[in-house]
Amino acid sequence: MLRISCRGQVVASLCCRRLSSSSSQDGTTTGTRPQRQPEPAAPDPDSDASEERGGKGEGGGPRTRKPADQRSVFLFPGQGSQFVGMGRGMLRYGKVREMFSAAEKVLGYDLLSLCLHGPHEDLAKTVHCQPAVFVTSLAAVERLNHVKPQAIESCVAAAGFSVGDFAALVFSGAMDFTEALYAVKVRAEAMQKASELTPSGMLSVIGRPQAQYNYACLQAKEHCKSLDIQEPVCRVANFLFPDGRVIAGHKEALDFLQKNSRKLHFMRTKPLAVSGAFHTELMQPAIQPLREVLRQVEVRRPEINVYSNVDGKRYMHEDHVRKQLVKQLVSPVKWEQTLHEIYERSQGQSFPRTYELGPGKQLGTMLQKCNLKAYKNYTHVDVTDDEDHTDAEWTLTERNN
């Protein structure tokens, strides 16, 4: 099994842990499920690494502490960032080839081919795009480790948007690559099945300062009740940045919001190309499959700070990780709050370098809107690589203070 440890180092090419065939929990696809074996407990992160705690105190007892601008924070994207062609040219970096090979065994299909060649309709399916974003994001870690290893070594904090949480946890040493991928597979299949039970979706909204999102959702639910829809769902599912939200729920509720967007003080609305109302109570049927698989995989305490987007707070221990990952399915993604937690600091303090690792630059855009000073130290690590584009040239794309 391929294992990725804290700070992105790939440890042992293919370790002796066996992979045995089994069906996925809900039986929708057949893949190879990793067999868990006992491993030594993860070391205490406070013993050998500094922590990024923003302006709320930087305790933890590290022996040495680098200035903030010599430390790094990793952000991992979620579903919706995928595109056909991601992964192109990445096989020359580190253990990326083994990562995709292991993914094919776990998933039961050629993920690399799907990422490189599509078709787009297949890659965009929840059951495919969540594993695809997860694997290619960790492939981006390998690329960064090749071109700028000091960024890996200086990383003190990480966060992931929705399914990106799993990539952040793997990087932190809290989960092994193949076990986390299997959990992502089960999660994606369960979310897809839950989506098929009710016509629903997600709506990206940019509001004016006077917009009242909860009130708008209440009106939309009242509209649904007038259509004899029992227990309608409509709520903010993603907090992206100031006045940037994603609202999810019944299709009729989202149609109402679009039709009445001007009255509700929405400047722009855009339906998202997803299969259902993620991060709402409509995902309740997906809870049990994910809870069961998380009981079966090994989870350790993260070796660096990893922030849960359920509440923006750090994961504290193994049970906390399992609990928050399950809760995330039916809870809003509080990304704006997470960014504030990571980057809040006193006036005059410097900011760490931020790397977005994976497809798309959406997280960088959100950081720019939430904290412009932190964004000045932002770099995107892409998941495509032009063979004619040298690593030296890549480093020149980094933003400087």
Side-chain angles (χ1 to χ4, degrees), residues 7-80:
R7 306 182 192 283
Q9 304 279 345
V10 176
V11 180
S13 56
L14 291 171
C15 75
C16 60
R17 188 178 301 178
R18 294 182 299 111
L19 298 175
S20 65
S21 298
S22 69
S23 297
S24 69
Q25 187 153 338
D26 59 14
T28 56
T29 63
T30 299
T32 302
R33 177 178 173 177
Q35 297 297 301
R36 188 175 65 176
Q37 299 291 338
E39 288 192 359
D44 186 338
D46 291 344
S47 65
D48 61 357
S50 61
E51 295 183 334
E52 184 63 28
R53 299 195 184 195
K56 297 187 175 182
E58 301 202 5
R63 296 177 182 175
T64 61
R65 184 176 301 284
K66 295 180 180 180
D69 57 3
Q70 293 181 27
R71 287 176 270 164
S72 59
V73 172
F74 286 6
L75 303 179
F76 295 91
Q79 183 172 347

Side-chain angles (χ1 to χ4, degrees), residues 61-366:
R63 296 177 182 175
T64 61
R65 184 176 301 284
K66 295 180 180 180
D69 57 3
Q70 293 181 27
R71 287 176 270 164
S72 59
V73 172
F74 286 6
L75 303 179
F76 295 91
Q79 183 172 347
S81 60
Q82 74 281 345
F83 60 89
V84 174
M86 64 182 190
R88 187 180 65 247
M90 298 289 285
L91 296 182
R92 67 190 183 105
Y93 293 112
K95 301 295 180 181
V96 172
R97 187 178 297 277
E98 281 103 328
M99 290 168 65
F100 277 104
S101 177
E104 184 172 356
K105 294 177 182 178
V106 172
L107 300 172
Y109 59 86
D110 188 346
L111 181 67
L112 179 60
S113 178
L114 182 61
C115 289
L116 294 178
H117 308 298
H120 170 77
E121 294 75 14
D122 287 346
L123 182 60
K125 292 179 180 178
T126 297
V127 292
H128 296 146
C129 83
Q130 289 190 17
V133 170
F134 169 82
V135 175
T136 52
S137 293
L138 291 171
V141 173
E142 281 293 336
R143 183 182 188 190
L144 181 61
N145 192 40
H146 179 79
V147 300
K148 198 175 182 66
Q150 61 269 36
I152 303 290
E153 292 301 321
S154 65
C155 183
V156 293
F161 193 103
S162 192
V163 72
D165 223 355
F166 286 85
L169 287 165
V170 169
F171 174 77
S172 77
M175 302 178 77
D176 289 340
F177 173 77
T178 50
E179 292 191 346
L181 176 58
Y182 185 74
V184 168
K185 171 181 181 287
V186 172
R187 177 186 191 265
E189 291 171 349
M191 292 174 71
Q192 179 68 49
K193 285 182 116 180
S195 299
E196 293 169 357
L197 298 176
T198 304
S200 58
M202 305 183 80
L203 183 71
S204 175
V205 174
I206 305 295
R208 300 184 187 278
Q210 62 268 40
Q212 298 182 27
Y213 302 98
N214 289 338
Y215 179 67
C217 291
L218 180 62
Q219 286 188 297
K221 287 194 286 187
E222 291 299 323
H223 170 72
C224 289
K225 290 178 181 178
S226 72
L227 301 176
D228 293 327
I229 296 175
Q230 302 298 315
E231 299 182 358
V233 173
C234 184
R235 62 183 286 186
V236 175
N238 300 164
F239 293 84
L240 305 179
F241 51 83
D243 295 317
R245 305 283 188 273
V246 172
I247 297 176
H250 280 82
K251 182 180 182 300
E252 293 84 353
L254 303 185
D255 291 342
F256 173 86
L257 294 178
Q258 283 190 279
K259 183 178 179 180
N260 295 276
S261 61
R262 182 171 297 182
K263 295 179 182 178
L264 298 170
H265 305 292
F266 295 164
M267 289 191 296
R268 191 182 73 188
T269 60
K270 179 183 178 181
L272 300 184
V274 296
S275 58
F278 302 153
H279 304 289
T280 73
E281 50 267 46
L282 291 177
M283 290 295 107
Q284 190 73 29
I287 283 182
Q288 192 59 26
L290 180 59
R291 179 182 287 129
E292 286 300 318
V293 75
L294 289 175
R295 286 174 179 167
Q296 298 168 32
V297 304
E298 183 177 6
V299 179
R300 299 173 290 272
R301 177 185 175 186
E303 297 178 28
I304 59 173
N305 285 344
V306 180
Y307 292 80
S308 168
N309 45 225
V310 170
D311 55 12
K313 305 298 182 182
R314 291 181 297 131
Y315 288 112
M316 301 306 296
H317 49 75
E318 296 89 338
D319 289 341
H320 189 218
V321 171
R322 291 187 175 96
K323 179 181 177 181
Q324 293 293 82
L325 288 177
V326 171
K327 188 176 181 180
Q328 185 200 74
L329 288 176
V330 293
S331 300
V333 174
K334 296 185 177 179
W335 190 250
E336 179 183 353
Q337 295 88 329
T338 300
L339 294 181
H340 289 320
E341 185 74 15
I342 294 173
Y343 295 101
E344 183 181 356
R345 60 204 61 234
S346 301
Q347 185 72 25
Q349 285 189 321
S350 58
F351 288 87
R353 290 206 168 270
T354 296
Y355 295 88
E356 180 175 356
L357 297 116
K361 300 180 181 180
Q362 294 94 327
L363 302 186
T365 299
M366 296 178 205

Side-chain angles (χ1 to χ4, degrees), residues 356-391:
E356 180 175 356
L357 297 116
K361 300 180 181 180
Q362 294 94 327
L363 302 186
T365 299
M366 296 178 205
L367 178 60
Q368 183 180 27
K369 294 179 182 296
C370 290
N371 193 319
L372 185 58
K373 290 183 179 179
Y375 176 72
K376 291 180 180 179
N377 287 337
Y378 163 87
T379 300
H380 177 235
V381 184
D382 202 354
V383 292
T384 60
D385 179 40
D386 188 340
E387 297 291 348
D388 297 327
H389 185 67
T390 67
D391 295 334

